[in-house]
């Protein structure tokens, strides 16, 4: 295909339109040259697609730290092919992954999404990931270029770094994935030595495109482009999202006035058209995705291969175990992935409790609950999209009680008429008492139980980071008396609409059974452990201490989990601790237990792999 010939058929306005998102997740189509929409999606461990919603579930692989802990490039390449398969199923051309930033400090809040503290291992695993995804005809965008290794002040900070460290540590993994043939790279929010990365001609033009000969496209992190001329001259090819922002008409004016050469625009358009040709979005059929991959089986295999045995006095693997005490909140509700850009919605999650129940007589005890927020109600739900009169424009089934749409509204929903979203779910409690409900999100909400209002008010967040409304939204709780065996109809209504054609909807209905006294829970765990042949304690981080958007204050397990481990180990010396965390945690009890197994964030097949 003659890309220069296609480029010659486009006027300046059309070319510039191609350099900015048409919406939250895509570049605009140009039917006159056979160019389809180019769709991008978050997805380091699964492909979410254009809706941040459980309406279209995704396979959820283990965290990238688990991928790297496998030390197996062939396995990672197979995981990449699965992600390409998922992307094709969801109409996605470009995966916004992998994350190549390094664990430069153990306190980094987003380390679960990165591979390693080591540049060599990160580069080798990242290259295999890129190769696997692109073998399936889907582009990758290794990110965040460069030195974006923490979350604190990530939008504004400047990383001051000497050239040798920059080359040998921060740039090395990116150089490796460019050699592997990456079709894209994403620039970071931060500055390096005083220049923001979306404007860094020295590193983007000079090193990435010049020294390394990178022929792919460079996309900004979302909202990272904040200037017209500087970013246009600095090497960024695509400013996301759109269509509003500092490019568009302002960039066209800068070109017409001679402040930005048209040749710079042409180079960017060539890179986009080259990408479109590679992913089958330019006048051709989609590339052959290869032999179908069993996603569930591969998710389990990756989890098994990534699990890391830290200590073992010979107890593992378990044999001739009749009774097994399984203890901890994460045993019943595993933390299978990190938050933010890494979040997807699988249609099944196998908890450690469920996985182990098939292998022995299992007795469960909560022990302690470190979670600060209530988890979304784990029941199928329905989202109704309402007009001004309360009429239903459309409805969509959901896997859990979470209503999230960032970008595209569901099919059939007219954004101009949308005035509210209502989330509906049914729940029949197994125990009587004061159950807790919560609404997690920002803005006005009405919560009803069997048609009666239990909350009608507004929930607001502290701070001024707009991304936190999705990454870490505020919570409001309610206590509702419920009777075991009685069905309750729950509803949350949130006034909202589409802004500039894009949806910005994010809220959830949380739930917890009646709370019990912490001392009583600890005593129960000790009693259950003493009565069983072996005790398995699952400890975990929580979204409040390990997620995108903030760094960790310390490496301690939250809540009273250390106390729980020590109490159980004292009651049963045959105690195994399963650490369910995406990155390092302190283990002051490591010498007091029989074995410690690190499972990272293990993906949807957590319990099956553990068993």
């Amino acid at each position: 295909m003659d890309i220069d010939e296609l480029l010659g058929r486009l006027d300046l306005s059309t070319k510039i339109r191609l350099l900015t998102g048409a919406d939250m997740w895509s570049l605009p189509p140009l039917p006159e040259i056979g160019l389809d929409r180019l769709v991008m999606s978050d997805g380091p461990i699964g492909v979410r697609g254009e809706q941040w919603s459980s309406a279209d579930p995704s396979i959820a692989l283990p965290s990238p730290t688990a991928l790297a802990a496998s030390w197996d490039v062939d396995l990672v390449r197979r995981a990449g092919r699965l992600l390409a398969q998922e992307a094709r199923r969801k109409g996605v051309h470009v995966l916004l992954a992998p994350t190549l930033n390094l664990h430069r400090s153990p306190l980094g809040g987003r380390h679960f999404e990165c591979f390693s503290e080591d540049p060599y291992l990160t580069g080798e695993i990242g290259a295999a990931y890129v190769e696997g995804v692109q073998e399936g005809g889907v582009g990758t965008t290794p990110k965040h270029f460069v030195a974006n290794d923490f979350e604190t002040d990530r939008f504004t900070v400047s990383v001051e770094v000497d050239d040798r460290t920059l080359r040998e540590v921060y740039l090395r993994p990116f150089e490796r994935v460019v050699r592997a043939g990456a079709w894209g790279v994403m620039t970071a929010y931060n500055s390096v030595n005083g220049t923001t990365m979306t404007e860094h001609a020295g590193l983007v033009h000079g090193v990435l495109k010049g020294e390394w000969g990178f022929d792919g496209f460079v996309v900004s992190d979302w909202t990272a482009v904040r200037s017209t001329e500087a970013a246009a001259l600095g090497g960024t090819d695509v400013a996301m999202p759109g269509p509003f922002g500092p490019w568009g008409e302002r960039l066209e004016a800068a070109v017409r006035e001679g402040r930005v050469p048209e040749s710079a625009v042409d180079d960017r358009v060539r890179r986009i058209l080259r990408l479109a040709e590679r992913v089958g979005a330019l006048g051709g059929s989609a590339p052959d995705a290869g032999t179908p991959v069993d996603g569930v089986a591969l998710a389990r295999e990756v989890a098994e291969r990534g699990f890391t045995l830290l200590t073992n006095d010979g107890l593992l693997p378990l044999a001739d175990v009749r009774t097994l005490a399984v203890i901890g909140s994460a045993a019943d509700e595993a933390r299978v992935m990190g938050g933010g850009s890494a979040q997807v919605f699988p249609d099944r999650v196998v908890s450690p409790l469920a996985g182990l129940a098939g292998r022995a007589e299992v007795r469960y005890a909560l022990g302690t609950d470190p979670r600060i927020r209530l988890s979304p109600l784990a029941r199928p739900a329905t989202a109704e999209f309402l007009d001004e009169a309360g009429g239903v424009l459309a409805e969509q089934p959901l896997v859990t009680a979470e209503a999230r749409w960032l970008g595209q509204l569901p099919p059939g929903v007219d954004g101009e008429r949308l005035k509210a979203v209502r989330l509906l779910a049914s729940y029949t409690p197994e125990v009587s008492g004061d159950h807790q409900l919560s609404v997690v999100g920002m803005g006005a909400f009405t919560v009803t139980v069997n048609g009666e209002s239990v909350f009608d008010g507004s929930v607001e967040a502290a701070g001024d980071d707009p991304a936190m409304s999705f990454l870490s939204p505020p919570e409001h709780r309610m206590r509702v008396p419920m009777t075991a065996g009685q069905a309750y109809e729950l509803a949350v209504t949130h006034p909202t609409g589409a802004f500039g054609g894009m949806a910005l909807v994010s809220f959830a209905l949380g739930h917890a059974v009646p709370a019990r006294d912490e001392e009583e829970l600890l005593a129960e765990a000790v009693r259950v452990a003493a009565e069983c042949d072996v005790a398995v304690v699952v400890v975990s981080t929580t979204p409040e201490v390990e997620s995108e958007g903030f760094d960790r204050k310390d490496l301690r397990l939250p809540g009273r989990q250390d106390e729980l481990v020590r109490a159980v180990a004292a009651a049963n010396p045959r105690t195994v601790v399963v650490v369910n965390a995406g990155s390092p945690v302190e283990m002051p009890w490591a010498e007091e237990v029989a074995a410690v197994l690190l499972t990272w964030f293990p993906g949807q097949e957590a319990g099956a792999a553990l068993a």
Side-chain angles (χ1 to χ4, degrees):
M1 183 171 294
D2 190 338
I3 288 178
D4 281 335
E5 189 274 329
L6 296 179
L7 178 63
R9 290 157 55 184
L10 304 177
D11 61 24
L12 179 61
S13 296
T14 303
K15 289 187 288 189
I16 286 178
R17 182 158 55 91
L18 196 57
L19 306 186
T20 303
D23 50 36
M24 184 64 74
W25 302 112
S26 74
L27 296 182
L30 297 179
E32 61 268 34
I33 62 169
L35 177 65
D36 300 330
R37 286 176 77 229
L38 270 169
V39 178
M40 308 178 208
S41 170
D42 280 328
I45 59 102
V47 183
R48 193 168 58 236
E50 293 186 81
Q51 296 184 32
W52 199 310
S53 162
S54 64
D56 184 10
S58 310
I59 293 291
L61 293 170
S63 60
T65 42
L67 285 174
S70 74
W71 296 79
D72 188 334
V73 292
D74 291 332
L75 179 68
V76 174
R77 197 173 286 113
R78 288 168 54 206
R81 286 196 286 269
L82 170 62
L83 293 170
Q85 175 180 291
E86 285 280 279
R88 286 291 176 196
R89 179 176 68 82
K90 288 173 174 271
V92 169
H93 301 99
V94 178
L95 200 57
L96 302 172
T99 302
L100 299 184
N101 301 122
L102 300 173
H103 300 181
R104 290 293 274 164
S105 158
L107 293 171
R110 199 176 178 180
H111 281 347
F112 58 87
E113 195 178 319
C114 314
F115 292 120
S116 171
E117 70 275 22
D118 180 73
Y120 177 76
L121 177 61
T122 296
E124 294 303 308
I125 297 294
Y129 185 112
V130 164
E131 290 164 353
V133 173
Q134 293 184 175
E135 284 169 7
V138 173
T140 59
T141 58
K143 61 184 187 182
H144 307 84
F145 189 79
V146 61
N148 184 193
D149 306 86
F150 49 85
E151 296 295 278
T152 303
D153 298 329
R154 61 177 175 160
F155 296 103
T156 57
V157 75
S158 177
V159 178
E160 304 301 308
V161 56
D162 64 87
D163 190 63
R164 179 176 178 180
T165 306
L166 186 63
R167 295 278 183 166
E168 295 183 2
V169 178
Y170 294 104
L171 287 173
R172 185 170 180 176
F174 287 94
E175 184 177 10
R176 176 66 181 90
V177 297
V178 168
R179 291 206 315 271
W183 296 344
V185 164
M186 181 188 290
T187 50
Y189 288 120
N190 58 277
S191 299
V192 172
N193 296 331
T195 303
T196 185
M197 283 308 306
T198 55
E199 303 171 6
H200 211 304
L203 288 175
V204 179
H205 274 314
V207 175
L208 177 63
K209 294 179 177 179
E211 289 182 32
W212 299 348
F214 175 67
D215 70 350
F217 87 120
V218 177
V219 62
S220 74
D221 205 339
W222 266 228
T223 73
V225 170
R226 303 168 194 129
S227 65
T228 301
E229 294 168 42
L233 296 171
T236 298
D237 299 321
V238 173
M240 290 297 289
F244 309 105
W247 282 12
E249 293 179 358
R250 280 181 274 180
L251 179 55
E252 183 175 347
V255 174
R256 294 193 186 281
E257 294 167 11
R259 290 177 280 124
V260 174
E262 188 167 356
S263 60
V265 172
D266 288 346
D267 176 68
R268 286 156 173 75
V269 174
R270 282 190 191 93
R271 290 173 182 272
I272 295 166
L273 296 180
R274 188 180 298 130
L275 169 71
E277 184 179 25
R278 285 167 167 166
V279 300
L282 182 61
S285 58
D288 181 11
T291 305
V293 180
D294 183 335
V296 171
L298 185 57
R300 175 176 169 172
E301 181 182 354
V302 171
E304 292 174 1
R305 298 290 298 283
F307 289 176
T308 303
L309 187 63
L310 301 181
T311 66
N312 184 23
D313 70 357
L315 178 61
L316 296 181
L318 297 178
D320 300 322
V321 172
R322 185 178 59 84
T323 56
L324 195 63
V326 180
I327 297 167
S329 63
D332 187 32
E333 188 179 309
R335 190 168 185 212
V336 300
M337 70 187 82
S341 301
Q343 184 184 22
V344 295
F345 300 89
D347 63 0
R348 64 173 248 159
V349 172
V350 183
S351 69
L353 184 60
L356 293 169
R359 303 298 185 93
E361 179 188 332
V362 166
R363 301 176 188 174
Y364 174 66
L366 176 62
T368 186
D369 192 345
R371 295 169 294 186
I372 294 175
R373 297 184 184 183
L374 305 186
S375 299
L377 180 68
R379 296 289 189 280
T382 300
E384 294 183 338
F385 300 86
L386 310 178
D387 61 19
E388 191 166 13
V392 179
L393 299 170
E395 60 181 41
Q396 192 168 64
L398 304 173
V399 175
T400 61
E402 296 178 83
R404 302 184 190 278
W405 290 269
L406 177 59
Q408 294 295 105
L409 284 165
V413 178
D414 181 353
E416 296 297 320
R417 297 175 60 199
L418 177 64
K419 299 302 178 185
V421 175
R422 182 163 58 215
L423 185 64
L424 303 170
S426 296
Y427 176 65
T428 302
E430 297 180 359
V431 295
S432 299
D434 283 347
H435 287 247
Q436 291 190 78
L437 297 179
S438 71
V439 59
V440 180
M442 290 177 57
F445 295 94
T446 301
V447 182
T448 63
V449 177
N450 288 342
E452 294 187 10
S453 177
V454 296
F455 177 70
D456 188 356
S458 185
V459 183
E460 303 299 335
D464 56 2
D465 182 350
M468 297 310 287
S469 64
F470 262 80
L471 301 179
S472 185
E475 176 192 60
H476 179 81
R477 293 193 186 188
M478 302 135 270
R479 289 188 180 275
V480 179
M482 293 186 177
T483 303
Q486 180 178 329
Y488 292 86
E489 299 302 319
L490 313 177
V492 183
T493 305
H494 175 50
T496 190
F499 305 94
M502 290 189 288
L504 295 170
V505 180
S506 176
F507 67 96
L509 173 65
H511 170 261
V513 298
R516 295 169 58 194
D517 178 74
E518 279 278 301
E519 298 303 325
E520 178 187 334
L521 291 173
L522 281 166
E524 178 187 49
V526 168
R527 184 177 65 254
V528 170
E531 293 171 351
C532 292
D533 298 333
V534 172
V536 176
V537 184
V538 185
V539 297
S540 71
T541 57
T542 63
E544 294 78 24
V545 300
E546 187 182 12
S547 190
E548 181 180 346
F550 54 86
D551 289 313
R552 298 164 70 184
K553 294 180 173 62
D554 55 57
L555 300 181
R556 293 192 295 271
L557 288 168
R560 300 175 67 180
Q561 294 182 94
D562 288 334
E563 182 182 349
L564 172 65
V565 171
R566 283 186 157 134
V568 169
N572 188 334
R574 290 161 58 85
T575 291
V576 179
V577 179
V578 175
V579 179
N580 179 189
S583 50
V585 296
E586 293 178 4
M587 297 180 293
W589 32 257
E591 301 301 319
E592 303 170 34
V593 299
V596 181
L597 180 67
L598 174 58
T599 62
W600 311 101
F601 291 153
Q604 68 176 61
E605 299 304 304
L610 180 65

